[in-house]
Amino acid sequence: NAGVTQTPKFQVLKTGQSMTLQCAQDMNHNSMYWYRQDPGMGLRLIYYSASEGTTDKGEVPNGYNVSRLNKREFSLRLESAAPSQTSVYFCASSEQAVNEQFFGPGTRLTVL
Amino acid sequence: RKEVEQDPGPFNVPEGATVAFNCTYSNSASQSFFWYRQDCRKEPKLLMSVYSSGNEDGRFTAQLNRASQYISLLIRDSKLSDSATYLCVVNMGGYQKVTFGIGTKLQVIP
C-alpha cells in the first residue's frame, strides 16, 4: 500500500499562474484534507472532504478550490497564485473525523 | 489562550536521557488526542494515540490529564534517531476542530 501520495513534490510558480495539486489515498478512507504548513505555525486546514461528494472550507480557504474526484482522490487548485501562498502543502486522510490522519509527503510550492 | 500550546524548544538532550514534553489544550470538550513526529522537510507521521488510561509503546509513553487539560509524551533512553519535531494534535470532535500544535523540537546529542 502506498498510503497517501501527492504530486508534484516541488513547484515554482509566477504570481498569477494556476496549478492543481493532486492527492490520492489507497486506504479506503472516507475523509480527506488539505493543509498548509508555514514556519512557526502549526498545520492549518485549507479544505476538507468528509466523504465522497462533499467538500467544506477549513481555516484558510481563500485563494483555493478543491475537488473530491472520487473516494481516492482529492485535488487542490490555486487559480491565481500569490506569494502569500508559498508554503508546504500536505494532503491527509482518515477514516472519520475523530480518527488519526495519515499524511502524504507534501508539495513544496514557491510563488515568485 | 491558544487552542493548543506547545513549547517549541529546542530540547537538547544527551543520548540515553529521558525527556518529556507537554501540550496544553483549551477546550475541555476535546475528544481525541495524538502525538505525531515530523522530521525536517518531511510529512508528519503518527507516533501514538493518547488514551484516557495512558498508553505505552516501547520507549514512548503518552498520558492524558483531562483535569488539567494537557497531554504528555515521555521518551526514555533517547536515541539519536529520536531527533525530530513532535506535534501534538487535539480533536474537538469535528473535521474543522482538529488543531495541531506548532511542535516541540528535540535534538538528541551524542
Side-chain angles (χ1 to χ4, degrees), chain A residues 10 30-31 33 35 37 40-45 48-51 56-59 90 94-106 108, chain B residues 2-3 31-34 36 38-46 48-49 51 85 87 89 91-103:
Chain A
F10 303 93
N30 292 308
S31 306
Y33 314 81
Y35 292 92
Q37 187 175 37
M41 305 185 75
L43 285 151
R44 292 184 292 169
L45 183 64
Y48 68 94
S49 171
S51 60
D56 283 288
K57 295 178 180 179
E59 180 185 354
F90 289 105
S94 69
E95 180 60 32
Q96 301 291 348
V98 295
N99 298 122
E100 62 271 24
Q101 297 182 16
F102 296 88
F103 286 81
R108 281 154 188 79
Chain B
K2 291 183 181 177
E3 290 184 343
Q31 296 186 14
S32 54
F33 308 86
F34 308 95
Y36 281 73
Q38 186 172 27
D39 292 290
C40 187
R41 301 179 68 80
K42 299 282 190 180
E43 74 272 25
K45 292 186 177 178
L46 180 68
M48 55 201 311
S49 302
Y51 305 121
T85 297
L87 309 176
V89 181
N91 188 328
M92 288 169 275
Y95 293 97
Q96 294 196 55
K97 298 179 181 178
V98 177
T99 302
F100 288 77
I102 62 170

Side-chain angles (χ1 to χ4, degrees), chain B:
Chain B
R1 182 181 175 185
K2 291 183 181 177
E3 290 184 343
V4 174
E5 291 198 72
Q6 287 186 262
D7 182 341
F11 284 57
N12 297 314
V13 302
E15 265 187 296
T18 295
V19 62
F21 311 131
N22 283 345
C23 169
T24 58
Y25 61 94
S26 61
N27 191 324
S28 60
S30 297
Q31 296 186 14
S32 54
F33 308 86
F34 308 95
W35 282 104
Y36 281 73
R37 170 193 170 125
Q38 186 172 27
D39 292 290
C40 187
R41 301 179 68 80
K42 299 282 190 180
E43 74 272 25
K45 292 186 177 178
L46 180 68
L47 182 63
M48 55 201 311
S49 302
V50 187
Y51 305 121
S52 296
S53 55
N55 49 311
E56 187 173 310
D57 183 4
R59 298 182 292 108
F60 298 83
T61 300
Q63 293 192 313
L64 167 63
N65 186 316
R66 282 196 182 273
S68 299
Q69 295 184 203
Y70 72 88
I71 63 173
S72 64
L73 178 68
L74 181 78
I75 305 175
R76 290 180 297 277
D77 188 23
S78 297
K79 311 290 185 192
L80 295 176
S81 57
D82 293 333
S83 297
T85 297
Y86 292 84
L87 309 176
C88 75
V89 181
V90 177
N91 188 328
M92 288 169 275
Y95 293 97
Q96 294 196 55
K97 298 179 181 178
V98 177
T99 302
F100 288 77
I102 62 170
T104 297
K105 186 171 183 178
L106 171 66
Q107 185 69 45
V108 181
I109 304 164

Side-chain angles (χ1 to χ4, degrees), chain A:
Chain A
N1 285 355
V4 180
T5 58
Q6 290 183 238
T7 56
K9 286 188 167 51
F10 303 93
Q11 185 71 48
V12 178
L13 294 177
K14 293 180 180 177
T15 297
Q17 287 185 316
S18 62
M19 76 162 297
T20 300
L21 281 64
Q22 306 286 354
C23 174
Q25 53 94 7
D26 63 2
M27 295 176 281
N28 202 36
H29 284 165
N30 292 308
S31 306
M32 298 185 73
Y33 314 81
W34 276 105
Y35 292 92
R36 61 178 289 172
Q37 187 175 37
D38 301 292
M41 305 185 75
L43 285 151
R44 292 184 292 169
L45 183 64
I46 304 170
Y47 270 92
Y48 68 94
S49 171
S51 60
E52 186 178 356
T54 69
T55 61
D56 283 288
K57 295 178 180 179
E59 180 185 354
V60 288
N62 291 346
Y64 306 94
N65 283 301
V66 291
S67 296
R68 183 76 182 265
L69 304 170
N70 47 56
K71 191 170 186 179
R72 291 187 63 249
E73 298 172 287
F74 188 38
S75 63
L76 178 72
R77 183 161 177 83
L78 287 71
E79 290 292 351
S80 179
S84 60
Q85 294 178 305
T86 294
S87 188
V88 181
Y89 291 85
F90 289 105
C91 177
S93 70
S94 69
E95 180 60 32
Q96 301 291 348
V98 295
N99 298 122
E100 62 271 24
Q101 297 182 16
F102 296 88
F103 286 81
T107 295
R108 281 154 188 79
L109 175 67
T110 300
V111 183
L112 302 174

